């Protein structure tokens, strides 16, 4: 199959631009709806809506019983990691800014590259990629430590930022789990279904047990946010991403994903009026530079496409 995949063209670039804008907006959508529906409940509902739509698509296409007929053991793992990622996102957004979450969540390629380096011989990191990882971690340290350097820090924001970083780690681990298991050859809808079902199965009980299942006030902004997250993000954008991976080299596509945090930070500032201090801004630039170096090195190597976890 990899021999039939082609380098990214103008259509792929335009589509990736749209996907990055969608993914960058999702943290902002959660924040906007948080006064009406708790963020953890949003995480559960969006996964449930996405799972229902993907399941319906599979039923229409005659792809039934995917959860039971496929590699269910690694499916359980990626489902749990997906749920863990959005548990960190949901809880983190209660404390930190959407723009911060947009940066720390998308450190995932760095963690994925580290995991694949140790587990897959063909994915050994080059010197340039190690440099990118070092730059990214310097950026993370600066974004975290800026408050101390300024003589003060908000512990709540720091905790939310830490959860965002853990979410990026969980997403990177999802990518590694898919790459090293039978899911790397599974249909895209099957991999996505494992993730979404795992998300709703684990996040809904967490929301109930932590008192984050309500109160719910379904104002127009709440409906709009849930429809955006469940239909546009979890269904349309994820399937579009997998569709691109089946036609274009993943190394070409992944390098464009660094644009997502740019959209996330911009949306947080423009829509939510969030403030990015100088230390965080410089740290974010270093993180994005590191991600670009790590992903760009893969672009130069022109590796075959591989499936990654979704977010």
């Amino acid at each position: 199959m990899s021999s039939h995949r082609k380098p990214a063209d103008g259509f792929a670039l335009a589509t990736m631009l749209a996907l990055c804008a969608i993914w960058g907006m999702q943290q902002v959508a959660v924040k906007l709806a948080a006064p009406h529906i708790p963020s953890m409940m949003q995480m559960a509902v969006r996964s449930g809506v996405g799972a229902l739509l993907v399941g319906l698509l599979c039923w229409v296409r005659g792809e039934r019983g995917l959860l039971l007929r496929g590699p269910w053991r690694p499916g359980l793992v990626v489902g749990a990691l997906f749920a863990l990622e959005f548990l960190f996102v949901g809880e983190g957004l209660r404390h930190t800014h959407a723009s911060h979450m947009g940066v720390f969540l998308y450190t995932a390629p760095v963690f994925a590259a580290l995991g694949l380096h140790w587990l897959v011989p063909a994915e050994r990191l080059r010197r340039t990629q190690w440099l990118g990882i070092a730059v990214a971690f310097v950026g993370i340290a600066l974004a975290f430590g800026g408050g101390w350097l300024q003589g003060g820090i908000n512990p709540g924001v720091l905790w939310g930022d830490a959860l965002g970083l853990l979410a990026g780690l969980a997403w990177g681990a999802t990518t590694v789990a898919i790459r090293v298991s039978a899911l790397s050859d599974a249909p895209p809808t099957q991999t996505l279904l494992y993730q979404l079902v795992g998300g709703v199965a684990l996040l809904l009980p967490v929301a109930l047990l932590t008192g984050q299942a309500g109160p719910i006030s379904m104002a127009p902004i709440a409906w709009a946010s849930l429809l955006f997250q469940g239909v546009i993000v979890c269904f349309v954008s994820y399937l579009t991403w997998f569709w691109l991976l089946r036609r274009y080299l993943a190394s070409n596509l992944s390098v464009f994903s660094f644009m997502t945090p740019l959209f996330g930070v911009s949306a947080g500032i423009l829509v939510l009026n969030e403030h990015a201090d100088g230390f965080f801004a410089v740290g974010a630039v270093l993180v994005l530079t590191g991600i670009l170096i790590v992903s760009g090195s893969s672009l130069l190597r022109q590796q075959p496409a591989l499936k990654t976890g979704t977010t």
Side-chain angles (χ1 to χ4, degrees), residues 53-73:
L53 291 174
V54 174
L56 179 61
L57 176 64
C58 293
W59 184 80
V60 171
R61 294 167 56 176
E63 299 174 347
R64 300 168 190 175
L66 285 180
L67 292 179
L68 299 177
R69 289 191 289 105
W72 60 270
R73 288 185 178 86

Side-chain angles (χ1 to χ4, degrees), residues 138-228:
V138 168
I140 291 170
L142 186 58
F144 268 99
W148 276 298
L149 295 175
Q150 290 178 329
I153 192 168
N154 185 324
V157 172
L158 181 62
W159 172 240
D161 289 349
L163 290 173
L165 193 61
L166 288 174
L169 176 60
W171 183 13
T174 303
T175 299
V176 174
I178 293 174
R179 177 67 174 86
V180 301
S181 71
L183 287 173
S184 61
D185 297 317
T189 47
Q190 187 175 53
T191 303
L192 180 54
L193 200 56
Y194 278 125
Q195 291 178 280
L196 294 173
V197 170
V200 69
L202 296 179
L203 291 174
L204 185 56
V206 169
L208 293 170
L209 291 173
T210 59
Q212 296 188 62
I216 296 175
S217 172
M218 292 309 296
I221 189 64
W223 282 109
S225 178
L226 290 178
L227 288 174
F228 171 73

Side-chain angles (χ1 to χ4, degrees), residues 43-255:
M43 299 296 103
V45 172
R46 62 173 256 159
S47 296
V49 171
L52 286 174
L53 291 174
V54 174
L56 179 61
L57 176 64
C58 293
W59 184 80
V60 171
R61 294 167 56 176
E63 299 174 347
R64 300 168 190 175
L66 285 180
L67 292 179
L68 299 177
R69 289 191 289 105
W72 60 270
R73 288 185 178 86
L76 289 176
V77 173
V78 299
L81 286 171
F82 182 84
L84 191 62
E85 173 191 343
F86 282 99
L87 186 152
F88 291 140
V89 170
E91 186 62 22
L93 284 172
R94 297 177 60 204
H95 303 279
T96 192
H97 306 299
S99 54
H100 285 212
M101 183 62 69
V103 171
F104 290 120
L105 174 61
Y106 284 90
T107 57
V110 174
F111 292 117
L114 286 171
L116 291 171
H117 170 79
W118 296 110
L119 296 176
V120 181
E123 302 281 352
R124 296 290 185 189
L125 292 169
R126 294 185 172 186
R127 290 180 181 177
T128 304
Q129 291 175 299
W130 281 114
L131 173 62
I133 289 173
V135 170
F137 277 106
V138 168
I140 291 170
L142 186 58
F144 268 99
W148 276 298
L149 295 175
Q150 290 178 329
I153 192 168
N154 185 324
V157 172
L158 181 62
W159 172 240
D161 289 349
L163 290 173
L165 193 61
L166 288 174
L169 176 60
W171 183 13
T174 303
T175 299
V176 174
I178 293 174
R179 177 67 174 86
V180 301
S181 71
L183 287 173
S184 61
D185 297 317
T189 47
Q190 187 175 53
T191 303
L192 180 54
L193 200 56
Y194 278 125
Q195 291 178 280
L196 294 173
V197 170
V200 69
L202 296 179
L203 291 174
L204 185 56
V206 169
L208 293 170
L209 291 173
T210 59
Q212 296 188 62
I216 296 175
S217 172
M218 292 309 296
I221 189 64
W223 282 109
S225 178
L226 290 178
L227 288 174
F228 171 73
Q229 295 180 64
V231 178
I232 303 301
V233 176
C234 288
F235 181 64
V236 176
S237 76
Y238 289 174
L239 287 180
T240 301
W241 167 245
F242 280 129
W243 181 87
L244 288 173
L245 285 175
R246 294 175 70 87
R247 287 158 179 79
Y248 297 95
L249 294 169
S251 55
N252 282 203
L253 298 174
S254 296
V255 75

Side-chain angles (χ1 to χ4, degrees), residues 246-289:
R246 294 175 70 87
R247 287 158 179 79
Y248 297 95
L249 294 169
S251 55
N252 282 203
L253 298 174
S254 296
V255 75
F256 297 131
S257 65
F258 85 98
M259 296 184 293
T260 302
L262 297 178
F263 283 109
V265 171
S266 300
I269 293 173
L270 295 174
V271 178
L272 299 174
N273 296 315
E274 295 179 347
H275 172 69
D277 63 64
F279 286 103
F280 175 77
V282 174
V285 170
L286 290 175
V287 170
L288 297 179
T289 300

